[in-house]
């Protein structure tokens, strides 16, 4: 009888216990911001086949699952893999092969860097990027005279930090037969005192660049892999590349399929009539790492180069309104065509006139259509009455633009108009979500600078005191959502990424500090200890 009792007890124990399920990885003892609907927190999760299997407490996960790869996070903060909703991923890679002009304090500094680069590389063509005349004591566009003297036979094209103007020497201008009489719709060949300065703004850039040697396949592969290394080190697991051609997209797909490129890419197809027809006919392209379902348009230029299209003249340049890069007839026709498809339309609009035109067109062609998530990229200067037009249009914004431009934005716009500039809180209130990015390499890649600029509205010197138009700052929760789940939403990917939840890709990062509680001024110094894509450390 005693043996029978023991047997019954043992049977009861075994019947109540379940064998642990084997998974690929377990992470426990963590401070996890899941960014789920309730912005809940957790301690642990299990990963199987590249996805989160279950999220919960350390005790729950360790009781239910076993793994040969168990990671003790030692209380460190874990967040979803970060998404840059507007950047130039391939461009960042190519920048590693060019003259770095970011941070130059004078045109003489620019020339010095070009000379140093050429002494080392002996290039047949020289390209560089990153100068900004607003950072110089002489805040006017540079002139080509010194470049002509030092490099009479080597074509040079130096792109302004925003990509909306280039400085060319005469050898480069000769490639496109550019003269003082050259005209181009949506662009400007800058002439002073009857002579070429070498500066080409917006569409005028193509006069030279369409004759520039194209990168080789190996150079493009190197660029993509270099950009991937930079982005993974900073916790980015998805990038929205704002403007790619068919050949570039197919190269990205090939490298992803071979396993060389692990980065997830939301590719915006650069607008040309040929590209629109090709991809509308082909339909949406979707893999686990590549998503092609949007077109990138330009309405106007940039504020820093006075190419942004304004409703009233620039405050610091009489009778100058900026440039309309795409004529309205073409823009409206293409918008109607895309509205009749499943593709998304994402349009660069900086000035209040450009925003007004884009918003009116969007709202008109999308009448009666739901869940289209068409985006305005930058949405930098918006008239007060136009914020209501954002109710059905998603703002895709870059917080570091505000803290980079704040030194001269009022000069361009005036004290009243600047109130509607970089108005991120108003845009959030209008649509209910915002997608956050950097626009790198226009700005630095670090998403922690994005986070800091969104919350503090200050530069790294903590200027200005109290923040630039602080009423339009975002909360930390709003900012993290904008860099994860809202960015995923802007890509139609919120069901597969953007939060740490069961069934989603196991894209996450381990941070050395708690981004939600650390002193505000320490946010830019946060380091990513590890980046995981599909549960794999990168």
């Amino acid at each position: 009888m005693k043996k029978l009792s023991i047997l019954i007890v043992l049977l009861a124990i075994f019947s109540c216990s379940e064998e642990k399920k084997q998974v690929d990885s377990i992470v426990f003892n963590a401070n996890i911001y899941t960014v789920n609907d309730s912005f809940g927190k957790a301690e642990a999760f299990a990963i199987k086949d590249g996805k989160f299997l279950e999220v919960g407490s350390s005790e729950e996960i360790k009781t239910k699952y076993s793994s040969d790869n168990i990671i003790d996070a030692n209380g460190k903060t874990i967040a979803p893999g970060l998404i840059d909703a507007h950047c130039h991923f391939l461009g960042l890679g190519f920048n590693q092969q060019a003259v770095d002009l970011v941070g130059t304090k004078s045109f003489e500094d620019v020339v010095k860097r070009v000379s140093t680069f050429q002494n080392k590389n002996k290039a047949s063509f020289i390209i560089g990027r990153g100068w900004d005349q607003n950072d110089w004591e002489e805040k006017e566009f540079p002139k080509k005279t010194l470049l002509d003297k030092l490099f009479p036979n080597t074509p040079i094209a130096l792109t302004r930090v925003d990509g909306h103007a280039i400085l060319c020497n005469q050898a480069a201008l000769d490639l496109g037969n550019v003269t003082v009489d050259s005209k181009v719709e949506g662009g400007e060949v800058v002439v002073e005192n009857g002579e070429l300065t070498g500066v080409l703004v917006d569409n005028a850039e193509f006069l030279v660049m369409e004759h520039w040697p194209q990168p080789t396949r190996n150079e493009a592969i190197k660029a993509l892999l270099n950009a991937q290394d930079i982005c993974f080190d900073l916790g980015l697991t998805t990038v929205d590349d704002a403007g790619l051609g068919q050949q570039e997209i197919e190269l990205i797909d090939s490298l992803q399929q071979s396993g060389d490129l692990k980065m997830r890419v939301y590719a915006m197809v650069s607008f040309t009539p040929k590209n629109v027809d090709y991809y509308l006919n082909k339909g949406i392209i979707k893999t686990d790492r590549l998503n092609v379902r949007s077109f990138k348009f330009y309405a106007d230029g940039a504020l820093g180069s006075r190419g942004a299209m304004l409703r009233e003249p620039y405050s610091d340049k009489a009778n100058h309104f900026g440039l309309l890069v795409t004529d309205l007839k073409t823009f409206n026709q293409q918008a109607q065509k895309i509205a009749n498809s499943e593709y998304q339309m994402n349009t660069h609009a900086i000035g209040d006139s450009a925003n007004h035109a884009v918003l009116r067109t969007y709202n008109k062609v999308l009448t009666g259509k739901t869940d289209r998530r068409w985006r305005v990229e930058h949405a930098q200067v918006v008239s007060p009455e136009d914020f209501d037009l954002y109710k059905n249009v998603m703002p895709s914004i870059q917080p570091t633009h505000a803290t980079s431009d704040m030194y001269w934005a009022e000069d361009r716009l005036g004290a009243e108009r600047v109130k509607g500039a970089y108005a991120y809180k108003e845009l959030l209130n209008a649509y209910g979500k915002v997608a956050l990015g950097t626009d790198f390499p226009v700005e630095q890649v670090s998403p922690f600078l994005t986070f800091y600029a969104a919350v503090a509205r200050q530069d790294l010197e903590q200027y200005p005191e109290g923040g630039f138009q602080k009423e339009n700052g975002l909360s930390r929760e709003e900012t993290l959502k904008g860099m994860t789940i809202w960015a995923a939403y802007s890509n139609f990917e919120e069901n597969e990424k953007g939060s740490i939840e069961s069934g989603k890709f196991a894209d996450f990062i381990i941070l050395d500090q708690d981004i939600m509680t650390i002193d505000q001024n320490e946010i830019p110094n946060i380091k990513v200890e590890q980046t995981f894509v599909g549960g794999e450390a990168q």
Side-chain angles (χ1 to χ4, degrees):
M1 189 70 179
K2 186 176 181 180
K3 289 182 179 180
L4 180 60
S5 298
I6 293 172
L7 180 61
I8 291 171
V9 171
L10 290 174
L11 287 172
I13 292 172
F14 286 124
S15 65
C16 291
S17 65
E18 295 183 9
E19 186 176 347
K20 290 184 178 182
K21 183 174 181 179
Q22 186 74 15
V23 294
D24 297 327
S25 300
I26 291 172
V27 178
F28 75 102
N29 187 23
N31 174 41
I32 301 170
Y33 292 98
T34 66
V35 198
N36 61 11
D37 287 344
S38 62
F39 206 77
K41 296 185 68 176
E43 297 177 330
F45 48 73
I47 299 170
K48 180 72 173 177
D49 298 327
K51 296 183 177 181
F52 296 114
L53 182 62
E54 187 171 342
V55 183
S57 69
S58 294
E59 182 178 358
E60 289 171 336
I61 298 301
K62 291 175 73 175
T63 298
K64 293 180 67 173
Y65 302 100
S66 63
S67 176
D68 295 330
N69 183 36
I70 299 178
I71 300 172
D72 183 348
N74 294 309
K76 293 289 177 65
T77 293
I78 291 179
L82 301 178
I83 301 171
D84 193 311
H86 182 110
C87 66
H88 302 277
F89 181 65
L90 179 57
L92 173 68
F94 279 131
N95 265 23
Q96 310 313 304
Q97 304 171 27
V99 189
D100 181 8
L101 302 176
V102 174
T104 49
K105 297 302 182 183
S106 66
F107 180 59
E108 290 71 22
D109 192 8
V110 169
V111 174
K112 182 178 179 181
R113 292 198 194 184
V114 172
S115 297
T116 300
F117 176 89
Q118 183 63 347
N119 288 338
K120 179 180 178 180
N121 294 279
K122 309 298 183 187
S124 299
F125 292 78
I126 301 174
I127 197 161
R129 179 166 180 157
W131 61 269
D132 184 351
Q133 83 280 6
N134 295 306
D135 293 338
W136 305 343
E137 185 175 344
E138 183 71 29
K139 299 186 185 302
E140 300 300 324
F141 275 148
K143 298 180 178 63
K144 66 184 179 66
T145 309
L146 187 54
L147 292 177
D148 288 344
K149 180 179 178 180
L150 296 175
F151 306 96
N153 302 312
T154 304
I156 298 175
L158 307 178
T159 304
R160 192 180 183 277
V161 65
D162 56 16
H164 288 269
I166 58 174
L167 172 66
C168 297
N169 66 348
Q170 190 60 46
L173 295 173
D174 288 344
L175 294 176
N177 296 315
V178 180
T179 72
V180 293
D181 297 318
S182 296
K183 305 292 181 185
V184 59
E185 187 174 353
E188 179 185 3
V189 177
V190 179
V191 175
E192 288 187 9
N193 301 318
E195 295 183 350
L196 292 168
T197 64
V199 174
L200 307 175
V201 180
D202 288 310
N203 286 348
E205 295 181 15
F206 296 111
L207 294 174
V208 167
M209 298 314 294
E210 67 180 6
H211 301 285
W212 207 265
Q214 293 302 302
T216 66
R217 178 181 173 87
N218 285 339
E219 288 171 339
I221 290 172
K222 181 181 179 181
L224 288 166
L225 297 181
N226 284 344
Q228 174 174 256
D229 289 342
I230 294 169
C231 291
F232 279 156
D233 284 346
L234 290 164
L236 294 170
T237 56
T238 294
V239 291
D240 292 18
D241 197 315
L244 292 168
Q246 179 184 340
Q247 185 175 349
E248 297 161 336
I249 291 170
E250 290 173 354
L251 177 60
I252 288 170
D253 187 31
S254 173
L255 292 174
Q256 289 173 330
Q257 297 293 346
S258 68
D260 295 300
L261 193 66
K262 306 286 188 180
M263 180 65 70
R264 304 192 199 276
V265 178
Y266 188 79
M268 303 184 205
V269 181
S270 294
F271 164 64
T272 67
K274 181 179 179 181
N275 279 347
V276 170
D277 290 342
Y278 175 82
Y279 281 99
L280 289 185
N281 182 62
K282 193 173 184 66
I284 292 169
I285 300 169
K286 182 71 175 72
T287 71
D288 283 351
R289 296 189 187 270
L290 178 66
N291 195 353
V292 186
R293 62 169 302 154
S294 66
F295 296 104
K296 168 68 182 303
F297 282 71
Y298 284 90
D300 62 348
L303 196 64
S305 50
R306 296 188 184 85
M309 190 71 180
L310 302 180
R311 303 177 83 170
E312 299 293 335
Y314 276 76
S315 296
D316 59 358
K317 189 173 182 180
N319 300 317
H320 182 76
F321 291 82
L323 296 165
L324 194 64
V325 173
T326 305
D327 70 89
L328 288 180
K329 180 180 179 181
T330 298
F331 186 81
N332 291 336
Q333 289 174 341
Q334 294 295 327
Q336 186 61 67
K337 182 185 294 187
I338 296 167
N340 293 330
S341 75
E342 293 184 313
Y343 266 71
Q344 180 189 51
M345 190 170 181
N346 300 336
T347 305
H348 163 117
I350 301 285
D352 51 9
S353 179
N355 273 272
H356 181 75
V358 171
L359 289 166
R360 285 177 60 87
T361 296
Y362 276 17
N363 279 281
K364 179 181 179 181
V365 302
L366 294 179
T367 299
K369 301 180 186 294
T370 58
D371 198 32
R372 296 305 304 272
R373 308 183 196 184
W374 282 23
R375 293 163 45 168
V376 171
E377 306 296 325
H378 312 308
Q380 273 188 19
V381 187
V382 181
S383 298
E385 66 272 19
D386 282 345
F387 282 102
D388 280 347
L389 296 177
Y390 269 102
K391 288 181 178 178
N392 298 311
V393 176
M394 187 160 194
S396 171
I397 55 181
Q398 300 75 46
T400 47
H401 284 339
T403 52
S404 291
D405 298 358
M406 63 183 177
Y407 297 97
W408 45 262
E410 188 171 331
D411 293 339
R412 297 282 193 275
L413 300 171
E416 190 61 32
R417 192 164 43 181
V418 77
K419 295 176 183 178
Y422 317 96
Y424 303 146
K425 193 73 165 188
E426 284 200 63
L427 291 166
L428 171 60
N429 291 339
Y431 186 77
K433 299 178 179 70
V434 288
L436 301 184
T438 61
D439 202 11
F440 71 66
V442 175
E443 302 283 356
Q444 295 185 58
V445 181
S446 173
F448 305 105
L449 297 181
T450 300
F451 198 102
Y452 176 68
V455 172
R457 302 277 286 197
Q458 293 176 315
D459 66 11
L460 295 179
E461 303 300 319
Q462 298 169 31
Y463 175 85
E465 185 177 354
F468 170 66
Q469 298 183 176
K470 187 62 184 294
E471 67 276 10
N472 271 299
L474 304 177
S475 71
R476 295 197 196 201
E477 181 175 326
E478 291 164 348
T479 301
L480 187 57
K481 286 179 177 179
M483 299 167 70
T484 56
I485 192 64
W486 290 346
Y489 176 90
S490 77
N491 298 344
F492 296 87
E493 295 178 336
E494 74 276 13
N495 293 322
E496 64 184 53
K497 65 176 70 162
S499 61
I500 297 175
E501 297 183 85
S502 176
K504 292 192 175 184
F505 291 132
D507 298 351
F508 64 96
I509 54 175
I510 302 177
L511 304 176
D512 70 341
Q513 301 287 339
D514 186 340
I515 195 168
M516 301 302 289
T517 62
I518 191 175
D519 182 90
Q520 174 178 282
N521 296 327
E522 292 300 317
I523 291 172
N525 301 321
I526 292 174
K527 300 289 188 265
V528 177
E529 296 197 343
Q530 280 189 294
T531 299
F532 293 80
V533 178
E536 296 181 357
Q538 302 303 315

